[in-house]
Amino acid sequence: MNQNIGTDLGLNFDNDYDRLPNYLLSKVAPEPVASPELILTNDSYAKSLDLNFSKVSLKSLTKIFSGNVLPKDSESVAFAYAGHQFGFFTVLGDGRAVSLGEHKTKKNIKVDIQLKGSGKTPYSRQGDGRAALGPVLREYIISEAMFGLGIPTTRCLAVVKTGEDVIREKPLPGAVLTRVASSYIRVGTFQYLALKKDIGGLEELVDYTINRHFIKLKNSENPALELLKAVIKKQIDLVVSWMRVGFVHGVLNTDNVAVSGETIDYGPCAFLDSYNKQAVFSSIDSSGRYSFGNQPIITHWNLLRFAETLLPLIHKDQKTALKIAADVFEGFEDMFKKAWLSMMMKKIGLSKEEVGDDILIKKLLDWMEKHSADFTNTFVFLTTGKSFNNKVYGKRDFLDWCDLWKSRLLRSKNKDEFKILMGENNPIIIPRNQVVEEVLDGVLSNNNLVSLFNFLDVLLDPYNIKHNGSYYQKTPKDGGLNYKTFCGT
């Protein structure tokens, strides 16, 4: 039942998605939980969404964020979509997530608010629709870290312990995560409509997506084609940003690609310690499909699948549509390389490209891989002159590279600019995998929320030089390449 507490909180639902073809969603209510306990709220983020937690009692907040009470004007639905998972097409949907609605801020910015782990939906198949506390907190931590790093991402508003166990390999404490996205429109959403061969519905989804995310394209002569180009650019920018900080998504299926250009679905993701292009942390990625270095290739592949769904709208004649789309993708590799090179140049303090800059960068990355040097800390060392494990930076081949780099810096027109560029593009702190595990273990074993709060504070300030040499910057002895993550967030 709907309650006025949502209005008191500041929720302002303006729901349009349910006007799309009805098979794109199923109306379903969250399943109530026995003894909900609100353990974490993101007050600063809530304030940016014009939500005021202080106006609502803890009891009322707990009811909303557990799913035990639906706020006023919410439209509780689970979304249907399809997707290529590890290259294989399948029909999917929100198996353990229920969206409360589209909240509109005072600046007319819309976001979708979703409860994850809130019970079964029509898309749950054999699942229980629930989530465990550990993976829920992990998504909260990583998504906040991504925000702090300046990378587009979904974010979280709250975590509620359900008071009930979920059964995985063993009983685990259950939780519900409230997460927020610019929207949950995925490449897989378009694939679902393409599967239905509903051209009218596809046009509606294109219009909705343009109105929601790409309003400048509204009066385009060929909206579907311009949408394709815009999404390609968004995804290139996003994945280049991931590679700037050593992020490995881990399960970059088409259903995990948001057309808004946000990072979505933090399952078996992780961050590089030692640099290695083949780094894979997901326990289910035995082939290395979603390795760190493969992310540009997979992004290209995923976007081709997106383009396939739009072909009927790009041109009525299929051959002509294919030719137009092929022309768009002909420049993809160069676009990605250009964006990647620009990013890497900034990491070493360069803004204007010279012939040979790509070779200089490749030599550094090759050196890092050869010596299993830490990705983040190597750039911290170049930026500040200080870092963990300074011994590796005393090696002759590294010093030789530094001589080449310094000579290149001297040729830059603005000799002081490099300090600013490097400071802005090289974080001191990332969510180190072992630190994440230690913090989670502290919460799960000892209810140590203080360490969690401290960690979150640092992750929101990752470029601050004061964190250099801190506990959060320490590296694993084995370089971290044996670290494994699991689906189930």
Side-chain angles (χ1 to χ4, degrees):
M1 89 184 146
N2 290 344
Q3 299 287 328
N4 287 330
I5 51 178
T7 303
D8 296 337
L9 180 60
L11 287 169
N12 176 33
F13 289 121
D14 182 23
N15 303 312
D16 288 327
Y17 193 86
D18 59 356
R19 298 174 190 170
L20 294 171
N22 57 14
Y23 55 77
L24 279 174
L25 55 84
S26 294
K27 294 189 177 182
V28 57
E31 295 179 4
V33 298
S35 305
E37 177 189 354
L38 182 64
I39 65 167
L40 188 58
T41 57
N42 197 335
D43 293 15
S44 61
Y45 181 44
K47 186 176 180 180
S48 73
L49 297 175
D50 301 321
L51 302 178
N52 192 338
F53 289 169
S54 65
K55 288 188 175 182
V56 183
S57 69
L58 176 62
K59 183 177 180 180
S60 294
L61 283 176
T62 303
K63 286 180 179 179
I64 288 179
F65 293 136
S66 65
N68 280 10
V69 167
L70 289 174
K72 185 179 179 182
D73 296 327
S74 64
E75 293 188 9
S76 179
V77 299
F79 298 133
Y81 45 86
H84 278 88
Q85 297 195 315
F86 287 86
F88 298 97
F89 184 78
T90 186
V91 177
L92 301 159
D94 289 332
R96 53 178 170 170
V98 170
S99 290
L100 299 180
E102 301 165 39
H103 168 70
K104 187 164 69 173
T105 70
K106 294 174 182 176
K107 294 182 179 179
N108 289 322
I109 297 171
K110 266 194 177 186
V111 294
D112 283 13
I113 299 179
Q114 186 181 75
L115 301 180
K116 189 173 183 180
S118 55
K120 288 185 177 181
T121 77
Y123 316 107
S124 297
R125 291 178 284 188
Q126 303 303 313
D128 59 12
R130 293 301 189 187
L133 178 61
V136 159
L137 289 174
R138 192 169 187 275
E139 175 161 351
Y140 192 110
I141 290 169
I142 302 300
S143 60
E144 284 299 281
M146 293 293 268
F147 173 74
L149 290 165
I151 297 172
T153 179
T154 58
R155 294 186 70 189
C156 303
L157 271 179
V159 175
V160 172
K161 290 170 66 173
T162 63
E164 303 170 350
D165 284 344
V166 295
I167 307 302
R168 298 298 181 253
E169 292 181 353
K170 60 182 180 179
L172 298 170
V176 175
L177 176 72
T178 303
R179 69 176 187 176
V180 181
S182 293
S183 79
Y184 289 101
I185 307 168
R186 310 158 187 261
V187 168
T189 311
F190 285 83
Q191 289 182 295
Y192 191 70
L193 273 166
L195 178 67
K196 295 285 186 180
K197 297 183 178 178
D198 182 357
I199 304 303
L202 186 61
E203 287 179 331
E204 291 180 54
L205 181 59
V206 167
D207 288 344
Y208 177 88
T209 304
I210 287 175
N211 286 330
R212 187 80 182 261
H213 298 298
F214 305 97
I215 195 64
K216 291 181 180 179
L217 305 181
K218 188 171 178 60
N219 297 315
S220 301
E221 184 177 338
N222 192 330
L225 178 61
E226 296 307 315
L227 176 62
L228 173 60
K229 293 177 182 177
V231 172
I232 287 173
K233 185 179 186 310
K234 285 275 189 182
Q235 291 301 318
I236 288 176
D237 290 346
L238 177 64
V239 177
V240 166
S241 293
W242 291 352
M243 302 190 81
R244 176 174 64 84
V245 299
F247 177 74
V248 186
H249 187 281
V251 62
L252 199 52
N253 298 322
T254 56
D255 55 291
N256 291 338
V257 178
V259 297
S260 63
E262 287 183 325
T263 314
I264 189 173
D265 285 341
Y266 291 96
C269 63
F271 283 76
L272 292 179
D273 290 298
S274 295
Y275 177 73
N276 190 302
K277 292 189 297 292
Q278 283 76 46
V280 172
F281 302 107
S282 170
S283 62
I284 62 173
D285 189 4
S286 57
S287 68
R289 177 181 176 88
Y290 299 134
S291 66
F292 176 74
N294 244 20
Q295 291 181 130
I297 297 169
I298 290 300
T299 297
H300 187 193
W301 193 91
N302 288 341
L303 288 167
L304 285 170
R305 306 290 76 78
F306 179 55
E308 289 170 351
T309 71
L310 298 174
L311 289 176
L313 302 185
I314 290 175
H315 200 281
K316 291 181 180 180
D317 179 71
Q318 187 178 30
K319 287 185 178 180
T320 303
L322 281 167
K323 175 65 169 61
I324 294 171
D327 288 344
V328 171
F329 278 94
E330 189 173 336
F332 181 90
E333 187 175 351
D334 287 340
M335 286 172 61
F336 198 100
K337 283 183 177 178
K338 183 177 180 180
W340 179 85
L341 180 59
S342 175
M343 173 273 291
M344 290 299 299
M345 287 175 60
K346 290 173 185 175
K347 286 181 74 66
I348 60 171
L350 303 173
S351 59
K352 293 183 179 180
E353 184 181 354
E354 274 189 13
V355 174
D357 284 344
D358 56 339
I359 297 173
L360 181 67
I361 290 166
K362 184 179 185 301
K363 284 182 177 179
L364 175 61
L365 295 176
D366 288 347
W367 176 86
M368 290 168 64
E369 194 154 16
K370 176 183 176 182
H371 292 285
S372 298
D374 187 87
F375 181 74
T376 300
N377 284 347
T378 296
F379 288 104
V380 170
F381 181 81
L382 292 173
T383 304
T384 68
K386 298 178 181 178
S387 187
F388 277 84
N389 189 20
N390 287 355
K391 290 181 180 179
V392 72
Y393 305 123
K395 291 184 176 293
R396 183 71 260 167
D397 48 358
F398 180 74
L399 296 174
D400 289 342
W401 181 87
C402 286
D403 288 341
L404 294 173
W405 171 56
K406 289 173 183 176
S407 295
R408 173 65 181 89
L409 287 176
L410 289 173
R411 295 197 298 273
S412 298
K413 290 183 179 180
N414 187 342
K415 294 183 174 60
D416 294 324
E417 182 186 28
F418 81 95
K419 296 178 183 178
I420 298 172
L421 282 174
M422 294 180 74
E424 291 174 343
N425 288 277
N426 295 318
I428 308 293
I429 300 296
I430 58 168
R432 296 275 178 182
N433 303 317
Q434 64 177 3
V435 178
V436 172
E437 296 300 333
E438 289 172 6
V439 169
L440 290 177
D441 184 64
V443 176
L444 298 173
S445 300
N446 304 309
N447 199 31
N448 183 4
L449 292 174
V450 173
S451 292
L452 172 62
F453 296 147
N454 290 340
F455 191 30
L456 290 169
D457 285 344
V458 172
L459 291 174
L460 289 172
D461 187 30
Y463 299 95
N464 195 325
I465 193 69
K466 74 178 183 181
H467 300 309
N468 199 11
S470 72
Y471 158 77
Y472 302 107
Q473 199 188 10
K474 68 177 183 177
T475 59
K477 292 180 180 179
D478 64 356
L481 292 176
N482 294 318
Y483 178 71
K484 290 299 175 189
T485 55
F486 303 87
C487 288
T489 301

